[in-house]
Amino acid sequence: MTRIAPTAVLALGAAAALALTACAPRDGGGGGEALAPPELVTALPAATTPVDEVTWSIVEGEPATLDPVSSANLIIPNLCDNLLSLQPDFSVEPGIATSAEWADPTTFVIELRDDVTFWDGSPVTAEDVVYSLERNRSPESQWFSAFALVTGIAASGPHEVTVTFSAPDSTFRDALAGQGGAVMSAAFGAGAGDGLGTSEAGLMCTGPYELAADGWTPGSEIVTTANPDYWNGAPLVDTLRYVFVSDASTLATALTEGEIDGALNVSPSSRAAFEGEGAGRLVVGPSTASYSFGPASAEGPAANPDIRRALSLAIDREQYIDTVLNGLGEVQRTIVPEFTFQELSAADVYQEGYDALAAPGVDLDTATQLVEDSGEDVSEPLVLAVPAGATEFKNTAQIVQSAAKQIGLTIEIDEMQASDFGAMFYDASAREGIDLVATQGYLETPGVLGYPSLFMLPEELGGVFNWSGYANADVTAHMQAARTATDERTAAQEFVAAQEIFAPDMLQVTLAGAYQLSYVNDGLTGITSSVAMYSSPWALHLGGE
Amino acid sequence: MNGWLMRTLLGRIGGLALTLFLASVVIFSALLLTPGDPIAALAGGAKPTPELVAQIRAEYHLDDPIWARYLQWLGGVLTGDFGRSFVYQTDVLGLIAPRFAVTLQLVLLTVVMILIAGVGSGILAATRGPAVDRAVGLLTALGMALPTFVVAILLIWVFAKSLGWFPVYGEGAPGLDRFWHLVLPAASLAVMFIAYISRVTRSSLVAQLHSEHVETARVRGIPRGRIFRVHVFRNAAPQILAISGTTIAGLFAAAAIAEQAFGLGGIGSLLTEAAARKDLPVVQLVSLLLVTIFVVLNAVADLVSALIDPDSVNAGRPA
């Protein structure tokens, strides 16, 4: 599954405040002060000391709902367990499901632990799992695409669930380690109705932290408490309180002063503040997140792969990483990042395919030639849409703009308000007049197909962001073969074959892989610090050192 | 005098109602006419299918004509139903009330700072000789030039990070802790207004000090303190009050910047977030609340000036 985050960082006057405290973008030419490459950590050592209360800031702002089916945020993973358990290194282990395997090419059997209870003490049954998985079979679910080939979900025993498919699906098992595999109480869900997951109706899950009936004060805070009966051992932090500070400079001050104990996804623009003297430390973890831009329309130069290749050849990735990510990222060869597949059994096949791709490099002559030979009319400026208010995207837009200028392309930047930017993703009319869109996205579970499926397949096969109408029969065939392969090596080989073709077409011009950044108070340890935090209880081992 | 006061009061209340009505129309239609779509908020993060979009549009009457939606909304407001937040799916009033309390406390503290420091320094500048006058003039020029967020950064740097006297984030627990949390935000919000009120106070006082009746009083040998209280300050007060009223009303809107800088959960930060997410019911109610406060405070300031010095009001009006 892939997530595109339209990153809604909003503030009145905050953008200006950032400019004063953040590091100013540097010119690539100067280059004397190289930033030290950070050490990547997937998780901090587990805590040993209990802590009464920890205050954590959710950088993305307050979620609209805590229902795992309709929201992806960093609070839910501590509340609701998924069937399989995603580890910090992005490997998948048993969780509430002791095993989840293919019985035959189209039958998938899930065996459940018999000792797991919801917060209210009621045991988790096969019916609860059927209820939870069924909810994802509606297109309204965020995780619908993982269930696209499912034809039936039924309890086949008190602790066994059988899922049947119209075709084999090599992506399904790993998807159960994500929120699509979240287990919720059927009885509670029936009682809560449409309000499930809101501050009024609440939630009933099995996770290490419980949401009390009055735990969520909308517009203010969400208070969760340790689940003493958690099947995987109770957490050490008694009360985990979430607050919502999205302004990067306010957050950096509150964190370094120790008034907020920690935050995930902190801004790389605050690196200097985080690495200076302060109450805590910056933890850098591996991630699947990347910054990229791609075509928003089937018309015009942006829909031409040559123009995108030219733009890619004009952009200095090292300079991009230094400027936008303050050095906290890495050059990425294509849309699918390495961390996604490194724990898969066919990792060697994926790695070989990845290494065979050309590393992005600067070549202005070739780029200019590509633009000239493309036959496109480039007299009109290309409009690049970015979400307003976020420094990272503002800098991204400026870098793309000045790189394009060097090769004879004019880019006009359109900074869009969060709601307008978000609308582009489902409303074609909101994309009118836009040629290119810059985004940041990440994959929250292992598996390589999510990202390319969204951008390269025809719309009816899941290419919901395939706005340029890209259609390559070979890519589609290999991608489909990869999904329906019954053994992992075949799946990997098919994917690599597709990637060989689609990578040079740059349906997304990948700018950089971004590391997972967390800031944690010095007294605390134990968090998951890799991108696995989106799908696993990152605070389970949180506590004092 | 009483009849006049009643008439003024009634006229004021009538004008107030009319202003609020017009404001509500403007707020409502402006919000509907701005680009962007609340569907993203309403769909709760899912990628909505066309069917879901149609269902949401019907459920929230998004396709009804503006006037119909306005009447529906107005009907709700008049019966105490302010709607539900698109984003939080909860009652808007319940969402706003606790945040309004924070903003109100912030504004009250700011007002105290503004009146003490602003009026106080204005009086000093007008009465303590040219050296003090110049010093105050310099400081107020600086104060007016500094944007609130810059002051906030400076204050955080000095008083929170370096000296460690005050917290840098959040509204704290109600009571003394809340007060402590609000000192820096209030101070950063107050600086510009202190400078402004100081200048207004000074110039009003100076104008009075050089007026004929003060000269006369001085010649008649009335003590300086008495002249200042009875002749100078009393005549200057209505103008200072009127300006202060508008200023205080403006504080509610300006508070957003301080709330943002200090991570306070107030009404201003709620408004900016809600506006960005197209959470229309929240934006509508908060905007209406801010307009109401502005209009009411202005009216109160006018009435109080009228009570202090009826002539000042009558003089401004055709008889």
Side-chain angles (χ1 to χ4, degrees):
Chain A
M1 290 286 80
T2 312
R3 207 113 299 283
I4 301 292
T7 315
V9 180
L10 30 113
L12 193 67
L18 273 176
L20 285 178
T21 48
C23 294
R26 282 159 297 151
D27 289 311
E33 17 139 19
L35 294 157
E39 188 198 343
L40 301 188
V41 194
T42 56
L44 296 179
T48 49
T49 317
V51 176
D52 281 347
E53 184 176 315
V54 166
T55 302
W56 211 270
S57 179
I58 299 297
V59 177
E60 292 81 5
E62 188 167 353
T65 172
L66 291 175
D67 179 359
V69 167
S70 46
S71 179
N73 61 66
L74 285 157
I75 302 172
I76 295 172
N78 289 328
L79 299 174
C80 299
D81 282 315
N82 305 325
L83 282 167
L84 294 173
S85 155
L86 184 64
Q87 302 301 304
D89 66 358
F90 236 46
S91 61
V92 173
E93 301 277 335
I96 291 184
T98 53
S99 86
E101 301 297 336
W102 292 95
D104 64 53
T106 55
T107 310
F108 189 84
V109 178
I110 302 166
E111 302 286 348
L112 303 171
R113 289 177 71 108
D114 56 8
D115 60 345
V116 182
T117 56
F118 290 107
W119 301 326
D120 62 4
S122 60
V124 172
T125 65
E127 275 72 29
D128 293 309
V129 173
V130 172
Y131 160 80
S132 307
L133 295 182
E134 276 292 347
R135 296 186 71 219
N136 290 304
R137 291 185 65 196
S138 151
E140 285 177 40
S141 164
Q142 298 253 330
W143 325 103
F144 173 65
S145 65
F147 291 77
L149 301 178
V150 172
T151 52
I153 302 171
S156 44
H159 295 106
E160 187 186 279
V161 173
T162 301
V163 186
T164 48
F165 288 76
S166 60
D169 188 346
S170 65
T171 66
F172 188 72
R173 185 176 190 274
D174 287 331
L176 292 184
Q179 254 175 246
V183 177
M184 306 181 72
S185 160
F188 187 87
D194 278 351
L196 185 64
T198 62
S199 59
E200 280 169 4
L203 206 60
M204 183 57 63
C205 287
T206 67
Y209 286 89
E210 301 179 18
L211 176 69
D214 54 354
W216 184 354
T217 313
S220 168
E221 60 175 16
I222 295 178
V223 179
T224 62
T225 52
N227 171 4
D229 305 318
Y230 187 55
W231 62 274
N232 201 7
L236 287 168
V237 174
D238 190 50
T239 302
L240 181 51
R241 193 167 77 95
Y242 300 97
V243 294
F244 312 99
V245 182
S246 48
D247 180 273
S249 71
T250 305
L251 181 65
T253 314
L255 284 169
T256 50
E257 288 297 298
E259 289 178 36
I260 293 178
D261 298 311
L264 310 173
N265 278 340
V266 292
S267 170
S269 63
S270 304
R271 182 178 185 178
F274 288 141
E275 288 180 347
E277 242 176 76
R281 62 215 184 273
L282 182 68
V283 184
V284 184
S287 177
T288 58
S290 60
Y291 284 86
S292 63
F293 67 89
S297 148
E299 310 285 315
N304 185 331
D306 279 339
I307 296 293
R308 297 195 297 269
R309 272 180 219 124
L311 279 169
S312 177
L313 284 170
I315 296 164
D316 181 341
R317 302 302 204 282
E318 300 286 352
Q319 188 213 343
Y320 179 87
I321 290 167
D322 275 1
T323 309
V324 176
L325 301 175
N326 255 321
L328 297 170
E330 59 195 15
V331 176
Q332 194 175 303
R333 293 184 177 208
T334 181
I335 186 168
V336 179
E338 289 170 276
F339 192 62
T340 315
F341 53 72
Q342 62 167 22
E343 291 297 320
L344 297 181
S345 70
D348 56 324
V349 180
Y350 291 114
Q351 190 66 52
E352 215 175 291
Y354 182 89
D355 292 339
L357 299 173
V362 182
D363 184 347
L364 294 182
D365 294 335
T366 311
T368 315
Q369 198 61 46
L370 274 171
V371 174
E372 279 172 19
D373 296 348
S374 70
E376 297 288 342
D377 174 13
V378 295
S379 57
E380 291 288 310
L382 295 175
V383 179
L384 169 65
V386 294
T391 342
E392 287 80 15
F393 282 105
K394 201 185 185 77
N395 291 342
T396 298
Q398 282 165 357
I399 287 174
V400 174
Q401 188 180 44
S402 65
K405 201 174 167 192
Q406 293 176 291
I407 57 169
L409 291 174
T410 320
I411 300 269
E412 190 182 302
I413 301 169
D414 184 358
E415 285 197 78
M416 296 175 87
Q417 287 306 314
S419 61
D420 298 334
F421 192 81
M424 280 195 306
F425 289 84
Y426 59 85
D427 182 0
S429 69
R431 294 192 296 272
E432 266 172 39
I434 307 287
D435 297 290
L436 296 161
V437 179
T439 54
Q440 194 220 353
Y442 60 87
L443 299 138
E444 70 273 322
T445 50
V448 295
L449 296 182
Y451 235 143
S453 300
L454 290 172
F455 291 99
M456 283 132 219
L457 292 184
E459 197 176 345
E460 65 275 13
L461 293 177
V464 290
F465 301 149
N466 186 356
W467 299 329
S468 65
Y470 180 78
N472 181 309
D474 290 336
V475 170
T476 307
H478 286 304
M479 288 286 289
Q480 294 295 84
R483 179 153 188 181
T484 55
T486 49
D487 81 287
E488 298 195 31
R489 295 201 82 77
T490 311
Q493 283 152 3
E494 289 291 345
F495 168 77
V496 167
Q499 182 177 253
E500 251 177 57
I501 309 167
F502 72 65
D505 288 338
M506 301 200 178
L507 274 309
Q508 287 288 290
V509 179
T510 305
L511 294 163
Y515 294 139
Q516 189 69 45
L517 306 181
S518 315
Y519 190 87
V520 187
N521 192 288
D522 279 334
L524 297 173
T525 183
I527 62 154
T528 297
S529 52
S530 77
V531 72
M533 61 175 63
Y534 284 101
S535 300
S536 54
W538 53 264
L540 174 58
H541 304 294
L542 178 66
E545 274 178 336
Chain B
M1 160 86 189
N2 260 345
W4 167 82
L5 193 64
M6 277 306 286
R7 271 202 311 282
T8 312
L9 207 61
L10 283 176
R12 277 283 162 193
I13 291 172
L16 210 95
L18 186 68
T19 313
L20 284 179
F21 170 72
L22 291 175
S24 75
V25 173
V26 170
I27 288 169
F28 195 88
S29 39
L31 280 174
L32 294 185
L33 294 173
T34 51
D37 203 312
I39 291 284
L42 285 167
K47 281 169 213 82
T49 57
E51 296 78 42
L52 180 63
V53 170
Q55 183 198 325
I56 291 172
R57 297 201 79 87
E59 192 175 332
Y60 289 88
H61 309 282
L62 296 182
D63 291 321
D64 289 0
I66 287 183
W67 61 265
R69 292 177 63 185
Y70 174 73
L71 287 181
Q72 197 188 12
W73 177 72
L74 191 68
V77 168
L78 293 177
T79 55
D81 172 13
F82 296 95
R84 290 171 76 79
S85 157
F86 287 173
V87 172
Y88 299 111
Q89 296 294 326
T90 53
D91 181 41
V92 171
L93 202 59
L95 192 63
I96 289 176
R99 295 184 149 241
F100 183 69
V102 172
T103 303
L104 189 66
Q105 287 162 343
L106 172 68
V107 167
L108 285 179
L109 187 57
T110 311
V111 167
V112 172
M113 289 180 180
I114 291 173
L115 290 183
I116 292 175
V119 176
S121 66
I123 293 175
L124 287 182
T127 57
R128 291 295 147 100
V132 176
D133 191 15
R134 267 201 299 278
V136 172
L138 204 69
L139 284 175
T140 53
L142 186 67
M144 286 174 84
L146 286 176
T148 300
F149 73 86
V150 173
V151 178
I153 291 170
L154 289 175
L155 291 179
I156 289 173
W157 186 256
V158 176
F159 294 101
K161 296 193 85 157
S162 303
L163 298 171
W165 292 350
F166 294 97
V168 296
Y169 142 83
E171 64 267 18
L176 196 63
D177 186 47
R178 169 73 48 85
F179 172 77
W180 211 237
H181 276 81
L182 291 181
V183 169
L184 288 190
S188 59
L189 191 54
V191 165
M192 195 191 298
F193 295 98
I194 287 173
Y196 182 53
I197 296 293
S198 171
R199 297 206 148 195
V200 169
T201 306
R202 180 196 168 274
S203 60
S204 318
L205 292 179
V206 167
Q208 290 297 328
L209 281 169
H210 293 108
S211 67
E212 239 171 73
H213 69 275
V214 172
E215 286 296 331
T216 317
R218 214 173 271 150
V219 171
R220 283 169 55 199
I222 298 173
R224 278 178 63 118
R226 192 178 148 74
I227 293 180
F228 187 79
R229 278 195 308 277
V230 177
H231 296 277
V232 178
F233 196 72
R234 200 175 149 172
N235 286 333
Q239 198 189 348
I240 298 172
L241 260 173
I243 299 283
S244 301
T246 343
T247 305
I248 294 164
L251 281 178
F252 280 91
I257 298 166
E259 287 172 11
Q260 197 78 45
F262 290 89
L264 296 179
I267 207 119
S269 51
L270 179 69
L271 180 64
T272 46
E273 276 164 34
R277 289 175 166 192
K278 279 274 161 184
D279 196 348
L280 298 184
V282 174
V283 180
Q284 279 157 356
L285 189 57
V286 175
S287 311
L288 194 68
L289 191 64
L290 291 179
V291 170
T292 310
I293 290 169
F294 196 85
V295 174
V296 169
L297 277 180
N298 257 332
V300 169
D302 275 8
L303 279 175
V304 173
S305 342
L307 283 177
I308 295 175
D309 184 5
D311 295 341
S312 74
V313 179
N314 284 346
R317 281 193 189 163

